[in-house]
Amino acid sequence: MKFATITSSLKGELTIPGDKSISHRSIMFGALSKGTTKITGFLQSADCLSTIACFKNLGISIENTTNEVFVHGKGLHGLTPSDTILDCGNSGTTTRLISGILAGQPFTTNLTGDASIQKRPMKRIIDPLTEMGLKIISLKDNGCAPLEISRGNLHGIHYYSKVASAQVKSCILLAGLYADGITKVTEPYLSRNHSELMLKSFGANVKSENTTATIIPGNELFAQEICVPGDISSAAYFITAGLIVPNSEVLIKNVGINPTRDGILRVYKAMGADITLLNERTQGGELVADLLVRSSNLKATTIEGRIIPTLIDEIPVIAIAACMAEGTTIIKDAAELKVKESNRIGVMVENLTAMGATITETEDGMIIEGGHPLHGAAVNSHDDHRIAMSFAIASLVADGTTDIVNAECVGISYPEFYNDLEGLL
Ligand code: S3P
């Protein structure tokens, strides 16, 4: 897909579609609850539809209408064996969280996903689930999907995770719902806490203290009404565009600003961004605001340590902003980027170098010297939705044409992305 040359300004407003992480969890926890969970603002993207398809295969009736999703939950012990191998598509959240749920079922399930999922590390969930007493095997013996998950008698454990990963944490907590005792997960830094918040609202006995989450099994879960806030990871593209395209003023409505997700706002503020939070409110236990973003002269910064998990999916587009900032931006402690839908460090460096940026790859991040103009070039999304959207934003400030290979992969998290961008031009 080709993107035309430099944009003079972005103006207008848009409403951000539902949060991907929260949408997945609303289906999963709804399926494990007694009664019918009603979800509004559900993200109708390929990843979330993979989660719906998996739970339908596990015997859950789900009605997906344009405005609402109804999940007819059957309680913690109501899932039934799937007669096909579960297909998690491109979704790491589906694969890892559903594995925790399947750990507690009295039947064997096989699951897999697309080529990208089959390369992503699953040892990080295989190890703790095995420690809990589960029989889980990587069928190709390479630590990746396809996985076979058999019955085990689950024991509560205290797991110290090497990575700050909400997918790992959530997988273990969900298995903990079925364990014979208390399960705790301690992570090096706090990752997104949507599972803890939402499980609590469904009636689970979950506690959080610093970077440790605890689940005490025994409670039934009960259906809820969930209103999914907009995804700050999707808003990130328009926040960045509003800052780096000159003469811009953009109102970005319905943005979830949970403090475990709002690192991009803190980093951009430190870089000198003009972002105003309006209409701050709580929606279904999550903080939400509208963001007024105006063009800003950004200054370089260093991004490292505990803030990394709070902006992990936004780093590709933050790298674009860093190219337009004055000075040298350093991103470190972000080795997790290498095991996302693509190797996001390698791919950002490859594509930004093609566009004329001065960028160096490091072991756990990148160093970007800002202030060098970007030029249109052929870039490759590597079928990674966040890479495609990041380079659509880069094209707005690049001279010449930017040609993105498989730009259509944005359907994984944001099917309407190009229409929404068009609306601001
Ligand atoms: C997610 C957690 C993050 C994030 C992913 C969604 C979730 O992954 O990158 O897009 O919904 O829990 P990790 O937990 O592996 O860091």
Side-chain angles (χ1 to χ4, degrees), residues 384-397:
D384 181 337
H385 54 130
R386 302 215 184 277
I387 298 296
M389 290 188 275
S390 297
F391 283 92
I393 299 307
S395 79
L396 301 172
V397 290

Side-chain angles (χ1 to χ4, degrees), residues 115-320:
S116 153
I117 272 294
Q118 292 187 40
K119 284 195 222 129
R120 295 184 68 186
M122 293 299 151
K123 195 170 168 338
R124 54 182 59 198
I125 59 161
I126 293 174
D127 286 349
L129 291 177
T130 304
E131 198 179 319
M132 291 178 83
L134 182 73
K135 272 180 72 186
I136 171 170
I137 49 176
S138 159
L139 289 171
K140 291 185 180 160
D141 201 20
N142 60 357
C144 301
L147 301 175
E148 182 177 276
I149 300 179
S150 317
R151 184 169 170 61
N153 287 323
L154 297 183
H155 311 298
I157 59 169
H158 187 166
Y159 193 71
Y160 291 86
S161 177
K162 286 196 200 92
V163 286
S165 161
Q167 293 181 359
V168 170
K169 172 175 63 177
S170 304
C171 167
I172 299 167
L173 292 176
L174 286 164
L177 283 170
Y178 297 93
D180 60 7
I182 297 174
T183 296
K184 288 177 188 264
V185 186
T186 298
E187 40 186 358
Y189 299 123
L190 185 63
S191 65
R192 64 192 66 190
N193 64 358
H194 305 302
S195 292
E196 296 90 302
L197 294 178
M198 202 190 285
L199 277 171
K200 211 177 286 176
S201 78
F202 275 85
N205 194 348
V206 186
K207 295 190 178 95
S208 304
E209 208 184 334
N210 303 319
T211 63
T212 300
T214 302
I215 191 151
I216 303 166
N219 291 15
E220 272 294 346
L221 305 186
F222 293 99
Q224 300 296 310
E225 273 203 23
I226 307 278
C227 180
V228 181
D231 197 327
I232 191 167
S233 299
S234 299
Y237 304 100
F238 299 105
I239 299 171
T240 306
L243 294 174
I244 64 175
V245 173
N247 312 309
S248 297
E249 184 171 298
V250 185
L251 180 63
I252 306 169
K253 293 164 97 170
N254 185 39
V255 184
I257 53 163
N258 176 316
T260 62
R261 296 285 301 282
D262 72 347
I264 186 173
L265 299 181
R266 288 182 271 144
V267 162
Y268 279 164
K269 285 263 157 110
M271 293 174 81
D274 183 349
I275 303 174
T276 311
L277 267 62
L278 303 169
N279 196 15
E280 278 183 66
R281 56 205 184 267
T282 304
Q283 192 176 294
E286 294 276 355
L287 280 176
V288 183
D290 302 330
L291 308 180
L292 182 63
V293 179
R294 297 194 184 92
S295 320
S296 306
N297 292 321
L298 299 177
K299 297 207 167 26
T301 190
T302 296
I303 311 170
E304 61 184 329
R306 69 182 61 249
I307 204 167
I308 294 290
T310 72
L311 47 64
I312 189 72
D313 291 341
E314 291 68 78
I315 291 177
V317 78
I318 292 173
I320 307 290

Side-chain angles (χ1 to χ4, degrees), residues 13-31:
E13 60 177 65
L14 80 158
T15 300
I16 296 298
D19 187 278
K20 184 154 76 71
S21 295
I22 297 176
S23 295
H24 282 299
R25 287 160 172 80
S26 63
I27 298 294
M28 294 181 178
F29 304 168

Side-chain angles (χ1 to χ4, degrees), residues 11 36 77-78 108 170 187 215 305 308 420:
K11 299 269 181 209
T36 297
H77 302 281
T108 298
S170 304
E187 40 186 358
I215 191 151
I308 294 290
D420 285 354

